[in-house]
Amino acid sequence: MQSSGSFRLIVRRGPQPNQIYELNKDIITLGRDITNDIVINDPEVSRHHCRMTRGGGGYTLEDLGSTNGTFVNGQRLTGARPLAGGDMVGLGETVTLGYESTIPAPEPGQQATMMGASAQPAPYQAPAYQPPPPSYQQPQYSPPPPPPQYQYQEPAPTSGGLGRWFFLGCGCLIVLCIVLAVVAVLIIDSQNLWCRLPILRDVIRIIGSCPAT
């Protein structure tokens, strides 16, 4: 039996907000072209965007291969989908239509029949078996591992200590000899003792610079 309720679409977002479209035909097409039953003039809407087909409980929505898609409550349609009161129909991303249905109340005779049918007690069903909750086991405490123990080890004596001191002493002695030689040369030169000292006089005489006395 076909429902005698009234159905309509209300523009929630898009051109002409709050515009109401009464749905009073068995097949209603929506799109941007003027040949549609409901014309939505928006760039996101295709020329022939979607189709609504009336059935026993209301309308069924179907996309007609639109470019930007048809959505019901944010989900894109991939086939025909029955609509329920309060569903939001989206055409692309910029147009949203609210689907509303008004089903008249049943007649008193039908309401009494429904109440009588609902007054019959339901057959008894045994409650489903639920396994007891697992027993709680307190985790066992394990003590932390002991800290590592460090042992002090004396450094091994080096075998090169005596040789180092020997070379150091020889170096100091050589430097001292050089300093004394430089001081002696300066003293001899300042006192002009090159030809007065016996050893230096003989050496210089051999060279030929100092005259004989």
Side-chain angles (χ1 to χ4, degrees), residues 92-104:
E93 297 182 356
T94 57
V95 177
T96 303
L97 306 175
Y99 176 77
E100 294 184 358
S101 62
T102 303
I103 305 297

Side-chain angles (χ1 to χ4, degrees), residues 58-104:
Y59 281 89
T60 299
L61 182 64
E62 182 181 2
D63 187 79
L64 296 178
S66 63
T67 302
N68 298 313
T70 303
F71 302 83
V72 176
N73 299 328
Q75 296 182 356
R76 186 163 186 165
L77 286 182
T78 57
R81 173 170 174 173
L83 295 176
D87 285 346
M88 291 295 172
V89 178
L91 308 182
E93 297 182 356
T94 57
V95 177
T96 303
L97 306 175
Y99 176 77
E100 294 184 358
S101 62
T102 303
I103 305 297

Side-chain angles (χ1 to χ4, degrees), residues 12 26 30-31 47 57 82 90-91 102 119 145 151-152 162 186 199 209-210 213:
R12 300 301 184 187
D26 292 338
L30 292 83
R47 296 184 60 185
L91 308 182
T102 303
Q151 296 181 357
Y152 174 75
L162 183 60
L186 293 176
I199 298 176
S209 300
C210 188
T213 55

Side-chain angles (χ1 to χ4, degrees), residues 134-196:
S135 58
Y136 175 75
Q137 295 181 358
Q138 185 176 5
Q140 297 180 359
Y141 173 76
S142 58
Q149 298 181 359
Y150 299 96
Q151 296 181 357
Y152 174 75
Q153 295 182 357
E154 295 183 357
T158 58
S159 59
L162 183 60
R164 182 173 66 252
W165 285 108
F166 174 76
F167 286 109
L168 185 59
C170 293
C172 293
L173 183 60
I174 293 173
V175 173
L176 181 60
C177 293
I178 293 174
V179 173
L180 292 177
V182 172
V183 172
V185 170
L186 293 176
I187 294 174
I188 292 172
D189 186 67
S190 63
Q191 300 294 332
N192 196 12
L193 300 177
W194 297 103
C195 296
R196 296 181 183 179

